[in-house]
């Protein structure tokens, strides 16, 4: 088995985790390659990602082209996707080498040359003001919003920005797209969940649109954004004892009653 290690040099304390993993792999006499995030290349049968959820998102999208499973070692904050911490590295490596892990196929979205594992966030190019957004699905007009923006999300991204903006939580096993307006100036604008095969278009009459993909802003503004399901899926590896509902409860404290 050949393993791949990706680290993000801009994440604090990545070196400690990297050194621990490398030492463990050397002790097992495992063939591995260490790469920095900005220069990652295809290598091996399995990829460990050292960083936060943002680092894992970038790696998962890249390695989806090679159908390589990725597992996050969290050195960031929340670690909703990068679930394993530095103190669990030894047991995680043992589980991977003994094939005691599962792989979830996560749906992605695309717009032109861009792909998203979490979401596309569409706003007006003039910051600090609301815009008028026109939503079409399969070239049919659906509605218009006066809002700060619109989030087009995968089930994976439903627990990210979309959740903060009032959207629903979707199980990552679902094949659906969530459309969430951001701070709409009306009480009757609500999130919409549509089948993954739909083609979603957003445009505006006010100005050009800016697009943020998984937290990264594109450098150009456009007059229309067309989003579809991407034909490939990201492969996220998890230990057998880590399931979506457990993580939802432990990381986001979902449904936990306040202490008396």
């Amino acid at each position: 088995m050949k393993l791949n290690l990706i680290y993000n040099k801009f994440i604090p304390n990545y070196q400690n985790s990297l050194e621990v993993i490398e030492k463990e792999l050397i002790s097992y006499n495992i063939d591995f390659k260490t790469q920095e995030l900005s220069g990652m290349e295809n290598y091996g049968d399995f990829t460990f990602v050292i960083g936060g959820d943002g680092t894992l998102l970038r790696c998962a999208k890249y390695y989806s082209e090679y159908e390589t499973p990725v597992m996050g070692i969290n050195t960031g904050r929340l670690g909703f996707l990068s679930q394993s911490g530095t103190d669990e590295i030894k047991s995680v490596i043992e589980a991977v080498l003994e094939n005691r892990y599962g792989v979830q196929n996560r749906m992605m979205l695309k717009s032109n040359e861009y792909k998203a594992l979490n979401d596309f966030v569409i706003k007006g190019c003039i910051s600090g003001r609301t815009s008028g957004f026109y939503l079409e699905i399969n070239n049919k007009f659906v509605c218009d919003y006066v809002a700060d923006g619109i989030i087009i999300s995968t089930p994976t991204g439903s627990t990210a920005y979309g959740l903060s903006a009032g959207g629903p939580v979707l199980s990552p096993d679902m094949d659906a797209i969530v459309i969430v307006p951001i701070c709409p100036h009306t009480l009757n604008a609500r999130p919409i969940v549509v089948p993954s095969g739909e083609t979603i278009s957003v445009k505006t009459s006010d100005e050009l649109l800016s697009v943020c993909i998984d937290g990264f802003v594109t450098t150009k503004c456009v007059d229309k954004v067309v989003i579809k399901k991407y034909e490939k899926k990201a492969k996220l590896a998890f230990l057998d004892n880590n399931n979506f509902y457990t993580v939802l409860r432990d990381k986001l404290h979902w449904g936990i009653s306040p202490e008396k």
Side-chain angles (χ1 to χ4, degrees), residues 64-84:
S64 68
E65 301 299 322
Y66 307 99
E67 299 186 349
T68 303
V70 300
M71 177 181 285
I73 304 296
N74 182 43
T75 56
R77 289 176 296 176
L78 180 62
F80 194 82
L81 297 175
S82 306
Q83 295 176 19
S84 301

Side-chain angles (χ1 to χ4, degrees), residues 147-250:
D148 287 355
I150 298 179
I151 303 167
I152 312 297
S153 168
T154 67
T156 298
S158 69
T159 53
Y161 194 0
L163 179 61
S164 298
V169 172
L170 271 63
S171 167
D173 296 328
M174 295 184 67
D175 227 25
I177 301 173
V178 186
I179 304 170
V180 183
I182 305 171
C183 298
H185 286 209
T186 177
L187 295 178
N188 61 5
R190 292 291 181 264
I192 305 172
V193 180
V194 302
S196 64
E198 310 285 54
T199 299
I200 299 168
S201 302
V202 178
K203 50 189 176 181
T204 179
S205 60
D206 294 347
E207 54 180 304
L208 294 176
L209 299 170
S210 68
V211 185
C212 185
I213 304 107
D214 288 344
F216 293 90
V217 181
T218 60
T219 57
K220 59 184 178 181
C221 292
V222 296
D223 57 2
K224 183 178 182 180
V225 182
V226 179
I227 296 172
K228 300 179 181 180
K229 177 183 177 180
Y230 189 53
E231 55 269 20
K232 294 187 177 181
K233 293 189 175 183
K235 294 183 176 294
L236 300 187
F238 297 94
L239 297 185
D240 292 338
N241 61 348
N242 281 337
N243 65 71
F244 173 71
Y245 303 105
T246 300
V247 175
L248 194 66
R249 183 179 64 252
D250 292 346

Side-chain angles (χ1 to χ4, degrees), residues 127-167:
S127 61
R129 55 167 287 182
T130 59
S131 299
F133 299 93
Y134 298 86
L135 175 67
E136 293 180 350
I137 298 178
N138 296 334
N139 295 318
K140 302 294 184 181
F141 174 73
V142 177
C143 60
D144 55 45
Y145 305 103
V146 175
D148 287 355
I150 298 179
I151 303 167
I152 312 297
S153 168
T154 67
T156 298
S158 69
T159 53
Y161 194 0
L163 179 61
S164 298

